[in-house]
Amino acid sequence: MFEITKEFHFSASHVLDQLPAWHPCARMHGHNYIVVLELSARDDALLPPGFVRDYRDLDTFKKWMDDTLDHRHLNESMGGGASPTAENLAKWIFDRWRGELPELTAVKVSETPKTWAVYRP
């Protein structure tokens, strides 16, 4: 099995409404997010010339991320459904991109240098 990853960055705000009013994350605040896409393929499923996926194919993800998430309010960008936690953001991105990137196996999201959430179905 081969695995590749690519890291992307964006900045955005969010509010975690379900937290008590005294919690700092209940107020609007922002993060410099890091998103890592993880893609995998078996030896016999590599694309010519031996790629899991050409990294250039991920340019469409970067454009979507810049247009949809960068310098936006995640409560609005994510459609107001699930709370815009790092965990839910990772799943939301995975669900949105799995159809276009069938090799996608996980999405990792970091809000701070010390924290990561991973969605791997």
Side-chain angles (χ1 to χ4, degrees), residues 11-83:
S11 299
S13 65
H14 69 164
V15 176
L16 302 180
D17 298 350
Q18 298 82 0
L19 294 173
W22 56 263
H23 196 289
C25 294
R27 298 187 295 272
M28 185 182 298
H29 63 285
H31 297 285
N32 294 315
Y33 287 89
I34 300 172
V35 173
V36 176
L37 300 184
E38 177 185 294
L39 298 92
S40 299
R42 295 182 326 272
D43 297 15
D44 61 348
L46 292 177
L47 303 171
F51 291 150
V52 170
R53 169 69 75 154
D54 187 339
Y55 285 110
R56 298 282 313 240
D57 291 346
L58 302 179
D59 291 350
T60 55
F61 174 80
K62 170 74 168 128
K63 180 172 179 1
W64 171 84
M65 190 186 67
D66 289 346
D67 293 346
T68 307
L69 302 175
D70 191 40
H71 287 82
R72 306 284 181 168
H73 187 59
L74 296 181
N75 296 68
E76 297 168 3
S77 296
M78 292 175 63
S83 178

Side-chain angles (χ1 to χ4, degrees), residues 3 22 28 37 42 48 68 71 79-80 82 89 96 99-100 107 111 118:
E3 178 180 289
W22 56 263
M28 185 182 298
L37 300 184
R42 295 182 326 272
T68 307
H71 287 82
L89 180 58
R96 162 63 182 82
E100 292 177 50
V107 175
E111 293 180 334
V118 180

